Amino acid sequence: MKTKRLLWVLVFIAVINSMGFGIIIPLLYPYGKKFGVTEQTIGLLTAAFSIAQFFATPVLGSLSDRFGRKPILVFSLIGTAVSFVMFGLANSVVMLFAARILDGLTGGNISVAQAMVSDISSPKDRAKNFGILGSAFGFGFVIGPAVGGLLNNFGMKVPFFFAAAVAVIGVLLSQFLLAETNKHKDDKESAEKNKFSFAALITVLKMPVIGTAIFTGFLLTMAQFTMIIGFQTFSTDELKLNPTQIGLFYAGFGVTGILMQLAVPAIKKVISSQALILILSTICCLGMMTLAGFATGLALFAVAIGIYGLFNGLRNPMLNAIIADHNDEAEHGKVMGVNQSYASIGQTLGPITAGLITAVSIHSVFFLSSLYILIALLFSLRLKAKENKS
């Protein structure tokens, strides 16, 4: 019962946290234009968060191993709230960059929440619980842009202050409703072991199963964020959809992933191997992304993106469960932090490479995404072999 209560508190925190993030993302460019943000600098503004997060999340994860998950989660949410307030009060591009960097440096929310799920879940329930947490983050991202769009009618600064208030609610919930899940935080031997070094970004990748899982996740994340650039350009330039239609279309993509994550318990009853589920879902993603590259009209494109979104929803629950199953309990925070670091770099490199290849054609973006998925498929096959060996 205690595990279920902790999980649902985490789920609620995940929804309001990701909703706050979802509120501001579509508004970054129109808001930043007032201070001189251009089509080129918006990419740098977005990348600033991911680069800061790359270095910060493994540090925060290690600190959560040493001092507990709860204080680090509270610290991360406070940083998010402050960054949103800075956006609302911004009067220059420099302040916008400072706000995004601060949010990245304190952005341990996802990795710490994942470490907490690892702490409270038995091996047989890990994939299911990661699926529930992932669907909560996904739900927040889906409804966030809609909330931001509505609040924008009351003034461009209003969504940022609202997002800050949402993050403060997360702080209060974490402080007063969430119990500490790290049983090893007072263990001196574990504390010595978990002193962080940036060498962990490399040493963790050398772990046979965990390293392969993290790199597979990095490739699949890069593929998804490459696809998002293709999705935006194809929907606008080829399909001639308006911003509202694109928003609804993208929301549908998010909903398919949420539905699949909620279906993880049923899928696990049919296929027990998490690595095998990952392989099958990656094959489906590869087929649909390739199909999207050949699409010329809305119907075929919508089917391809919809089915891709469905099976892409299985990526994080399976990979996170595999990582947690092969990880020392005392290092959940560090390893989940490193995992999130590589995901953040995937989120940066995907759009950059997609932007470069659009010079060839819009369709080539989907084929580039397919290439990343194909490489990820080869690594997922290797992951299955290493998991069997271990």
Side-chain angles (χ1 to χ4, degrees), residues 5-136:
R5 188 179 69 81
L6 281 170
L7 179 63
W8 289 111
V9 173
L10 273 174
V11 162
F12 193 63
I13 291 169
V15 169
I16 62 174
N17 179 44
S18 58
M19 183 176 71
F21 187 76
I23 284 170
I24 73 157
I25 289 302
L27 304 174
L28 283 180
Y29 182 52
Y31 183 71
K33 282 177 76 174
K34 296 194 307 177
F35 310 115
V37 170
T38 66
E39 292 90 340
Q40 290 73 40
T41 53
I42 187 63
L44 294 174
L45 186 61
T46 305
F49 170 84
S50 296
I51 293 168
Q53 192 180 54
F54 174 77
F55 291 106
T57 48
V59 177
L60 293 170
S62 290
L63 290 174
S64 80
D65 287 333
R66 295 183 66 190
F67 303 111
R69 316 286 185 222
K70 184 174 170 177
I72 302 303
L73 183 60
V74 169
F75 168 76
S76 296
L77 288 168
I78 289 172
T80 296
V82 172
S83 73
F84 290 159
V85 170
M86 288 174 67
F87 258 103
L89 299 176
N91 53 18
S92 67
V93 173
V94 173
M95 196 161 176
L96 293 181
F97 271 93
R100 290 309 287 150
I101 291 169
L102 173 64
D103 198 12
L105 291 174
T106 58
N109 316 17
I110 295 176
S111 58
V112 174
Q114 289 171 344
M116 295 181 90
V117 169
S118 297
D119 292 339
I120 65 175
S121 303
S122 64
K124 72 182 182 69
D125 288 330
R126 277 202 177 113
K128 176 188 76 175
N129 291 345
F130 276 121
I132 292 170
L133 185 70
S135 65

Side-chain angles (χ1 to χ4, degrees), residues 152 155 276 278 280 286 312:
N152 195 54
L276 181 56
L278 178 67
L280 294 174
L286 176 61
N312 186 58

Side-chain angles (χ1 to χ4, degrees), residues 1 19 39 71 77 117 153 183 248 257 268 286 289 304 357 381:
M1 188 65 187
M19 183 176 71
E39 292 90 340
L77 288 168
V117 169
N153 294 325
K183 300 172 185 175
L248 291 172
K268 286 279 291 175
L286 176 61
M289 192 52 56
I357 206 166
L381 291 168

Side-chain angles (χ1 to χ4, degrees), residues 171-299:
V171 171
L172 297 174
L173 288 172
S174 300
Q175 183 62 41
F176 296 110
L177 293 181
L178 209 57
E180 180 56 60
T181 62
N182 184 359
K183 300 172 185 175
H184 301 275
K185 69 183 182 73
D186 297 320
D187 185 339
K188 290 183 179 179
E189 187 179 331
S190 295
E192 193 63 31
K193 184 180 179 182
N194 288 316
K195 283 184 178 177
F196 183 75
S197 163
F198 280 105
L201 291 167
I202 304 299
T203 57
V204 169
L205 283 184
K206 293 178 180 178
M207 297 178 181
V209 175
I210 291 175
T212 306
I214 288 174
F215 193 70
T216 302
F218 158 74
L219 289 167
L220 291 173
T221 300
M222 192 157 62
Q224 179 184 337
F225 279 78
T226 298
M227 178 279 295
I228 288 172
I229 299 301
F231 175 92
Q232 291 172 340
T233 52
F234 187 78
S235 297
T236 302
D237 297 341
E238 296 287 322
L239 300 180
K240 308 297 182 186
L241 301 181
N242 62 42
T244 302
Q245 291 170 325
I246 293 172
L248 291 172
F249 194 175
Y250 189 73
F253 165 78
V255 168
T256 57
I258 292 169
L259 293 174
M260 187 61 97
Q261 287 174 329
L262 292 174
V264 166
I267 295 169
K268 286 279 291 175
K269 287 180 180 178
V270 180
I271 307 172
S272 60
S273 169
Q274 286 146 185
L276 181 56
I277 294 172
L278 178 67
I279 289 168
L280 294 174
S281 64
T282 304
I283 290 170
C284 292
C285 287
L286 176 61
M288 290 304 105
M289 192 52 56
T290 305
L291 187 64
F294 287 110
T296 54
L298 177 60

